[in-house]
Amino acid sequence: MLLSEDQKTTARSYRVANMAIPARPLEPGLYLVATPIGNLGDITLRALETLAGADVLACEDTRVTRVLLDRYGIVNRPYAYHEHNADEAGPKLLAALEGGRSVALVSDAGTPLVSDPGYRLGQMAIEAGHRVIPIPGASAPLAALVGSGMPSDAFLFAGFLPVKDKGKRDRLADLAKIPATLIIFESPHRIGASLATAADVLGPTRRAVVCRELTKTFEEFRRGTLGELAEHYDDRPVKGEIVLLIAPPDLDDVPGAIEVDILLKELASSMPTSQAAAEGARLTGLSKKDLYQRLLALKGEAGGH
């Protein structure tokens, strides 16, 4: 069992401003709890009550989570759940849910399931018919977006770029024409190379922001073009966690529907439909699947007249 009978009867509470606050019992279900990405003061009261009141508390790294628990006087014992033990720990957490227990899941920082293996547990819980309850709070992508000055009416979180250069170039090419601010996680050891590749694939004049150490003492937003930022971070030692934001392409760079239809018709006149869609995707940065469906529609319209 993940929780002993003695632990179940332990008084559950959390402390705020040296005041102990009892945590109410939680209904059975999987609680996905957002935790601070740096500043421990960014935790929500609902998150504290959930961490204190959960029957089972699963986390990415028990040492990291213990720092947060100690800060707020929470005695709940954390259990490790991460990509290396998911096959073993996952079924135990599901068994706890089956037994009518409440399970809280946290990552090292930010919102669980965002670029971490917790989504697997969430999927399994849903498939098994258990409630999944998000406890919202800190999120590095959103913190970076609102502090960057980039357009926020449309944005795409792209996670981490591939490590190898070809994969990185292919991924950036896929993202090139998307009319939205791109939000990307990057390692401090690779940010220089990634900026240089992005400048090469997307163009050196495209605006970008490197967000480093968000909510921490040395928080930094460095703004410029991809070319300027690539030059700044070339062979420069960098510390801390990084979120890279890249501005949407200029409207002139995004092909309109009529232009796309003309291009597809031209390509389809000299090659098979699938190949024409693939070539259209390469030239426009749009989805091959969407272009393939559009080509079929265009052929259907032509055949109907």
Side-chain angles (χ1 to χ4, degrees):
M1 294 177 61
L2 285 171
L3 196 70
S4 69
E5 295 299 323
D6 289 339
Q7 286 173 308
K8 281 195 269 185
T9 58
T10 300
R12 297 170 180 178
S13 65
Y14 57 96
R15 299 188 69 85
V16 177
N18 290 323
M19 178 180 295
I21 303 173
R24 293 169 295 181
L26 298 177
E27 294 182 5
L30 175 63
Y31 294 78
L32 306 175
V33 186
T35 55
I37 58 177
N39 190 319
L40 294 183
D42 291 336
I43 192 76
T44 69
L45 293 177
R46 188 181 176 204
L48 290 175
E49 184 169 50
T50 303
L51 295 179
D55 294 324
V56 180
L57 173 55
C59 64
E60 198 170 352
D61 188 323
T62 58
R63 295 166 299 181
V64 173
T65 299
R66 176 50 63 192
V67 173
L68 177 64
L69 299 180
D70 289 346
R71 165 73 178 268
Y72 291 99
I74 297 172
V75 298
N76 208 346
R77 177 184 174 187
Y79 295 88
Y81 173 79
H82 47 72
E83 61 180 338
H84 302 298
N85 76 343
D87 291 340
E88 177 185 354
K92 293 181 179 179
L93 296 174
L94 288 175
L97 292 172
E98 290 288 350
R101 316 272 275 286
S102 57
V103 176
L105 175 69
V106 301
S107 61
D108 280 351
T111 302
L113 280 63
V114 179
S115 278
D116 80 41
Y119 78 92
R120 295 166 57 189
L121 182 62
Q123 286 179 326
M124 291 188 293
I126 291 171
E127 291 170 359
H130 301 297
R131 288 186 64 203
V132 174
I133 305 101
I135 309 296
S139 170
L142 292 181
L145 178 66
V146 299
S148 69
M150 289 285 181
S152 58
D153 55 333
F155 55 90
L156 172 70
F157 175 63
F160 285 94
L161 293 174
V163 175
K164 294 185 178 179
D165 185 68
K166 184 183 185 306
K168 187 174 298 184
R169 288 178 178 275
D170 290 345
R171 179 62 172 148
L172 287 169
D174 290 340
L175 300 171
K177 300 296 183 180
I178 294 176
T181 296
L182 303 178
I183 305 176
I184 297 168
F185 283 167
E186 190 50 280
S187 159
H189 309 295
R190 294 194 295 265
I191 185 61
S194 291
L195 284 166
T197 301
D200 190 30
V201 175
L202 305 178
T205 61
R206 193 142 156 186
R207 292 186 302 116
V209 181
V210 174
C211 311
R212 189 178 65 84
E213 291 290 82
L214 290 169
T215 78
K216 300 177 183 177
T217 303
F218 298 104
E219 178 180 88
E220 177 185 36
F221 289 86
R222 182 167 291 276
R223 302 170 176 87
T225 65
L226 283 172
E228 291 167 345
L229 292 171
E231 182 177 355
H232 175 80
Y233 286 101
D234 182 35
D235 291 330
R236 180 186 295 266
V238 182
K239 294 182 179 181
E241 299 192 0
I242 290 173
V243 182
L244 170 64
L245 285 89
I246 301 176
D250 293 334
L251 290 178
D252 292 342
D253 295 334
V254 180
I258 295 177
E259 293 173 311
V260 171
D261 284 355
I262 293 172
L263 173 63
L264 290 176
K265 289 176 181 178
E266 291 178 351
L267 294 172
S269 66
S270 60
M271 59 184 71
T273 303
S274 179
Q275 185 179 349
E279 181 63 13
R282 187 187 69 81
L283 293 172
T284 65
L286 300 175
S287 162
K288 176 184 174 181
K289 180 181 178 181
D290 291 344
L291 294 181
Y292 182 82
Q293 294 299 322
R294 181 55 186 161
L295 258 176
L296 293 181
L298 290 172
K299 290 186 176 183
E301 293 171 5
H305 293 298

